[in-house]
């Protein structure tokens, strides 16, 4: 892994988010990098409420949260199936851990990752010992927060698992190779039957391979819409493997909540 990714895929109106909050990605300790995408750190001090929107990645997150005067909260957030919206106001801080798709299971090997999909639940229902919110959220120094995350996750002693590595490799292939557009193609590349691929993804990723393929298509379409108001949707639909422009527009609208033409002026 060559450091945290720099793209803004999945963030709806990334420039506006970055204008409202201080957002950083940080690399975890070497022993955690096979399983984690990165840490993501957000701090804000707002005079007016702001709502952030995210089209989730096929990743589980562990999220340490401090919202104003509310009690600190630590949650395991399974893969979000719908647009995620979070209202921010006043002062606050969030320190998140984004696991690689397939990388969460080594930390919680007793249950399939699909068990957490679409759910947000207290971290102490998943991990023992419980995650210490003050150790992560209190330090003013960002390096100290990262060190606290490293210490906690390393203490959980993730167990190497060849099947987790296989799942991570297949999801990475979907993310990086736009020619992989169908579940049957992915199964063939992975040397698996379609049913075995479905079981692998349910157990180690948390969603099916078709969902992952479609989600990365929408991330690409969202990124294009953000960067190019004059995007050729028919050409993009063909590039992403859609049968026609109408299918892409339907998926985009269902996921983001507005049509591409309504989104573009933002």
């Amino acid at each position: 892994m060559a450091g945290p990714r720099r793209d803004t895929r999945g963030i709806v109106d990334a420039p506006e988010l970055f204008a409202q909050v201080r957002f950083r990605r940080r690399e975890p300790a070497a022993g955690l990098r096979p399983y984690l995408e990165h840490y993501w750190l957000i701090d804000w001090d707002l005079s007016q409420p702001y709502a952030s929107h995210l089209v989730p990645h096929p990743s589980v997150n562990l999220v340490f949260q401090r919202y104003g005067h509310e009690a600190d909260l630590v949650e395991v957030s399974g893969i979000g199936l719908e647009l995620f919206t979070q209202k921010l106001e006043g002062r606050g801080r969030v320190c998140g851990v984004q696991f690689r798709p397939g990388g969460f299971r080594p930390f919680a090997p007793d249950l399939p990752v699909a068990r957490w999909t679409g759910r947000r639940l207290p971290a102490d229902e998943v991990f023992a010992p419980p995650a210490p919110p003050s150790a992560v959220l209190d330090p003013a120094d960002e390096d100290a927060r990262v060190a606290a995350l490293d210490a906690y996750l390393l203490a959980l002693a993730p167990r190497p698992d060849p099947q987790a590595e296989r799942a991570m490799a297949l999801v990475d292939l979907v993310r990086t190779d736009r020619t992989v557009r169908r579940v049957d193609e992915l199964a063939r590349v992975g040397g698996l039957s379609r049913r075995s691929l479905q079981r692998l993804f349910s157990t180690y990723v948390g969603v099916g391979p078709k969902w992952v393929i479609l989600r990365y298509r929408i991330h690409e379409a969202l990124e294009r819409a953000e960067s190019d108001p004059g995007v050729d949707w028919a050409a993009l639909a063909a590039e992403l493997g859609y049968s026609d422009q109408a299918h892409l527009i339907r998926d985009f609208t269902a996921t983001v909540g507005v049509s591409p033409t309504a989104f573009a002026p933002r």
Side-chain angles (χ1 to χ4, degrees):
M1 182 176 174
R5 58 185 177 82
R6 298 182 180 276
D7 65 77
T8 59
R9 290 169 193 257
I11 301 175
V12 178
D13 201 349
E16 177 64 15
L17 173 68
F18 298 156
Q20 298 286 344
V21 307
R22 185 166 176 251
F23 176 92
R24 295 88 69 208
R25 293 186 179 114
R26 294 289 302 268
E27 191 172 39
L32 297 169
R33 292 172 201 165
Y35 312 104
L36 271 57
E37 292 275 9
H38 51 248
Y39 300 139
W40 49 275
L41 311 178
I42 301 178
D43 297 271
W44 66 89
D45 188 354
L46 300 171
S47 58
Q48 298 292 329
Y50 165 72
S52 64
H53 305 281
L54 178 73
V55 177
H57 287 254
S59 298
V60 177
N61 284 262
L62 173 65
V63 190
F64 295 74
Q65 304 163 67
R66 175 171 291 168
Y67 297 105
H69 299 293
E70 298 177 17
D72 292 344
L73 178 65
V74 189
E75 287 185 322
V76 170
S77 180
I79 295 174
L81 300 177
E82 300 176 346
L83 183 71
F84 175 76
T85 299
Q86 179 66 58
K87 182 179 179 181
L88 306 177
E89 54 188 335
R91 297 182 64 185
R93 169 174 293 167
V94 174
C95 300
V97 180
Q98 183 174 333
F99 294 86
R100 293 179 62 191
F104 182 75
R105 179 70 188 272
F107 292 84
D110 295 334
L111 291 169
V113 179
R115 177 71 174 266
W116 320 118
T117 298
R119 302 176 62 195
R120 297 172 65 183
L121 63 161
D124 58 10
E125 294 185 18
V126 182
F127 296 129
S134 60
V136 173
L137 294 167
D138 282 355
D141 179 69
E142 184 177 307
D143 290 342
R145 283 178 252 160
V146 170
L149 289 170
D150 282 342
Y152 176 66
L153 291 166
L154 287 168
L156 292 176
R159 307 174 191 176
D161 182 337
Q163 289 295 87
E165 294 173 10
R166 189 178 205 177
M168 287 188 279
L170 288 172
V171 176
D172 279 344
L173 181 65
V174 174
R175 177 165 51 184
T176 58
D177 187 346
R178 293 298 179 208
T179 67
V180 180
R181 299 170 174 172
R182 299 178 60 84
V183 174
D184 289 341
E185 293 172 2
L186 186 62
R188 184 170 58 254
V189 171
L192 296 167
S193 69
R194 186 186 181 99
R195 180 171 293 184
S196 294
L197 181 68
Q198 297 280 5
R199 283 199 299 266
L200 178 71
F201 270 56
S202 177
T203 302
Y204 285 90
V205 181
V207 289
K210 182 178 179 180
W211 191 96
V212 173
I213 292 169
L214 291 174
R215 180 48 53 93
Y216 282 138
R217 285 175 173 178
I218 295 301
H219 279 178
E220 177 70 20
L222 181 61
E223 188 90 344
R224 296 287 188 90
E226 293 265 11
S227 60
D228 180 10
V231 63
D232 183 336
W233 289 96
L236 180 58
E239 180 183 334
L240 295 178
Y242 280 90
S243 57
D244 55 39
Q245 179 179 343
H247 282 89
L248 170 57
I249 290 174
R250 185 165 58 246
D251 280 354
F252 187 100
T253 303
T255 305
V256 181
V258 296
S259 68
T261 53
F263 177 84
R266 299 184 183 187

